[in-house]
Amino acid sequence: TSTDGGVTWSAPRRVSDGPGDAPAFTVSVAARPGGHVAVSAYSLRNDPSRQFLVDLFVQVSADGGATFGAARRATPESFDIRWAAQARGYFLGDYIGLAGSSERFHLLWVGTPEPSAIDPERRQPDAFAASTP
C-alpha cells in the first residue's frame, strides 16, 4: 500500500493462499466502490506436479486490501496449458482481465478446455468470462 500517492510503499505482502510451491502468474487487480479489491491469477495449485494443469482463481478484500478472503476458483475445471500457443514456452496470451462494477467483479481469461473445431483430438485456446461478488 501507499499513503503518499505512490512515492513510498509498504513491504510486499503475499495475497495468494495457494501452496508455496504452486506458481501463480498473469495477475490482475481491480477495485470497486466500498473498499472492495480483487486479485485474480492463473495457478498450478490443483496440479500435483505443478507443471501443466491451470486454473484461474480470484481473491476479494472488503477492507481496501488489508485482508483477503479465501481464493475462489473461476475455472470449472483445470485445463492443460500444453495446448496453448508456443512463444518461448507455453503462452496463454496477454488476455486476462478483471474489472469492478458497482456490485461485482468481472473476470476474463484464456483457457484450453474445449476441443478444437478443426481437429477434435486437440484443444483450442478460447476466451471465457465469469462474475463474482
Side-chain angles (χ1 to χ4, degrees), residues 28-115:
S28 289
V29 179
R32 63 182 183 83
H36 292 86
V37 178
V39 176
S40 68
Y42 291 120
S43 174
L44 299 174
R45 69 173 70 186
N46 289 334
D47 182 350
S49 70
R50 308 285 193 251
Q51 293 183 15
F52 306 117
L53 299 179
V54 179
D55 284 285
L56 182 75
F57 284 88
V58 62
Q59 288 182 252
V60 178
S61 169
D63 57 12
T67 60
F68 283 84
R72 290 183 252 168
R73 184 180 183 185
T75 46
E77 63 185 31
S78 300
F79 62 88
D80 194 325
I81 197 169
R82 290 175 288 188
W83 292 110
Q86 292 288 316
R88 295 187 197 155
Y90 305 118
F91 184 62
L92 292 170
D94 299 326
Y95 317 111
I96 186 171
L98 180 62
S101 63
S102 61
E103 296 181 10
R104 303 186 74 70
F105 286 103
H106 308 279
L107 300 101
L108 173 73
W109 71 93
V110 172
T112 61
E114 302 293 328

